Each structure stands twice: as C-alpha cells, then as structure tokens.
Amino acid sequence: MPRFAIIGGTGVYDPQLLDDTRLEKIVTPYGEVAVQVGVYRGMEIAFIPRHGGDHSVPPHLINYRANLKALQQVGVENIIATAAVGSLNIDMQPGHFVLCDQFLDFTKGRITSYFNGGEDGVKHCDMTQPYCPALREAIVRSGEEKGQTVHRDGCYVCSEGPRFETAAEVRMFRMLGGDVAGMTGVPEVCMARELGICYANVSIVTNMAAGIGTRQLTHAEVLQSMSRSIGQVRSLVMDSFTYVDAIAPCTCALWMAAKEETDGAQ
C-alpha cells in the first residue's frame, strides 16, 4: 500500500519516474478514480492527474471528494500536490517554487467538505495551519539539496476559474496578503485535513498575475512555462518523500482522531 501520493496539476500529467506502474480503479462513495501506483527508490507512490491525463477537467468541475477519498482508501498518508500559479509577489518569479502555508478561498460553487449534513453529519475542521509543516520541511530539504529556488511560505489565493483573474481582483488579493493565485488548491487541502492526511502544496510560478505582468494571460503560456520546469518539479517532489521519516511527526491526523472519538461517544 502506498503511503505517499502526488496530485499533479497543470502540466504534471505523468510522474514518469515511477517503476513497475499499475493502474488501479478505486471506487469511492463519490465516484470512481483511476490511481496510478508505482515505485520510486523502494517507496510505493500513488499518482492522480488532477485535470485528467489530457487536461479535460476544468478546475471548478474536479471531483475533489472522490480524488482524496480514493487516496485514503489505498492507504496514502502524505500528499504533495502541484499547482501552476500566477504570482502576486514580485519576489516570486516565474520558475520559482512556493510552499504555501496559508490560503484565501474565493471559490463559489464547489462542494467544500465531506460533512454536509444528513448522514454525513456536520463537523467543523480546524484549519489554523492548513498545510503539513513536516511535509513542507521535507520539500525544503529536497530543494536545498538541488539548489532550487524554493520559497518556504506564501499565501495561496484560490479563485473559481476557469477564467483568469482580473487586474482589479489581483490588486485586492495583494492587499489581503496573497502571494500566488491559482484555481485548484481549495477545497483539496481542506478535504485532505478532514481525512487526516498530511498535505503540502508546491506552487510553480508560471507567470506574473494580471496587471503585474505586461502580457495577456493564456493557458498556452502556462503550459510552456511548466514544460521548462517539469524536470525540476518531478525531482523536487519525488525526492521530498525520502526525507519524511527523518522529520519530527506532525499533528495533521489528530483532527481526524478527535473527530472519531467524538463520533464514538455519541
């Protein structure tokens, strides 16, 4: 059973570095998910392309609940998710990696939780520290080993998409403390926490956001920028898993344990 998983964002549709790969169709209460499982340096790693292998699923229609539940069902305890982002911060330039430690949620029409009343009940999940500090430290160590530009923290702004943000929205996001803008980080991070899975985001800066850069934003530009970074992205993420066990354990799973104790007392 794989302890580790990668959720690949735009431009990351196949981990390629995995050996002995197999495709598993995982049936969840929220739909079926195709999970690729392979081996890297003796570790089993699961992989899901967030938008599908051919980028056919837009950010606002991704089945986040099914994806995260499928990874939990195969035994995953640690997820590193990549995301192509536009930068709101001039210190975070195209080609840089940002390990977000906070987020701002500007999504509108998505299912955001596993606990939506009825049989699922209503639970309020703590998100003071939404991204796993231990997993983030593992990524930092991997980046330092390679001499890559990895920003240790940053605030991820998630918009609904699939359109890009307006220049006025970008100004607002910057005023609120946002560093990078994307369309997929939420509710993914929230659902990982609800399932007690450690989760870290690697944001790959592909362009400066609207009104900061001088060019019109296009999806083609994002893909071109990702193609230049893809080798570094793969090695950064894959090697991060080798550091996990050497780092002090986190408390990400404690919310799930507390919830189960509460459920058992009812």
Side-chain angles (χ1 to χ4, degrees):
M1 289 174 47
R3 291 175 54 209
F4 306 108
I6 299 166
I7 297 178
T10 296
V12 185
Y13 307 124
D14 188 332
Q16 291 189 354
L17 297 178
L18 295 178
D19 297 322
D20 302 323
T21 58
R22 65 183 185 273
L23 190 65
E24 298 188 7
K25 297 293 182 69
I26 309 300
V27 178
T28 81
Y30 313 101
E32 185 178 272
V33 179
V35 179
Q36 184 176 337
V37 180
V39 177
Y40 179 74
R41 294 190 176 183
M43 301 177 293
E44 270 204 323
I45 296 176
F47 177 80
I48 292 178
R50 187 187 287 119
H51 296 279
D54 55 355
H55 200 98
S56 59
V57 185
H60 62 300
L61 296 180
I62 293 168
N63 192 340
Y64 296 98
R65 287 193 298 177
N67 287 350
L68 273 295
K69 190 65 177 178
L71 293 179
Q72 184 199 42
Q73 288 180 197
V74 300
V76 167
E77 300 171 2
N78 301 270
I79 297 171
I80 296 179
T82 72
V85 298
S87 177
L88 316 173
N89 185 331
I90 60 173
D91 292 330
M92 299 174 179
Q93 290 289 311
H96 290 189
F97 301 118
V98 183
L99 305 185
C100 293
D101 64 326
Q102 290 292 323
F103 69 79
L104 294 169
D105 182 11
F106 284 87
T107 61
K108 301 173 182 176
R110 307 180 185 190
I111 298 174
T112 60
S113 173
Y114 288 103
F115 306 110
N116 297 296
E119 294 182 359
D120 297 328
V122 176
K123 305 293 181 183
H124 304 284
C125 185
D126 176 69
M127 296 297 289
T128 305
Q129 193 174 45
Y131 302 96
C132 175
L135 204 48
R136 289 173 58 239
E137 178 61 26
I139 301 168
V140 168
R141 293 189 188 184
S142 177
E144 288 177 343
E145 179 187 56
K146 298 168 177 54
Q148 296 173 338
T149 302
V150 179
H151 297 270
R152 281 180 168 267
D153 49 47
C155 184
Y156 181 105
V157 181
C158 193
S159 61
E160 182 72 359
R163 67 168 177 83
F164 289 113
E165 302 79 16
T166 68
E169 288 172 328
V170 168
R171 288 196 299 272
M172 176 183 68
F173 295 158
R174 293 182 70 184
M175 292 173 64
L176 292 174
D179 291 300
V180 296
M183 304 174 189
T184 56
V186 183
E188 195 171 84
V189 59
C190 307
M191 292 180 173
R193 176 57 53 80
E194 288 184 343
L195 295 176
I197 301 174
C198 295
Y199 178 101
N201 164 280
V202 176
S203 289
I204 303 103
V205 179
T206 59
N207 57 275
M208 303 306 290
I212 300 176
T214 58
R215 292 184 296 178
Q216 183 178 7
L217 300 181
T218 67
H219 186 62
E221 178 188 4
V222 173
L223 291 176
Q224 290 171 4
S225 181
M226 280 298 304
S227 69
R228 292 190 292 268
S229 302
I230 191 63
Q232 290 185 326
V233 173
R234 288 195 180 104
S235 63
L236 173 69
V237 172
M238 290 292 195
D239 288 341
S240 296
F241 293 126
T242 66
Y243 291 99
V244 170
D245 290 336
I247 297 171
C250 64
T251 60
C252 295
L254 294 183
W255 183 86
M256 173 57 69
K259 182 192 79 67
E260 289 174 347
E261 287 181 8
T262 301
D263 289 347
Q266 292 177 349

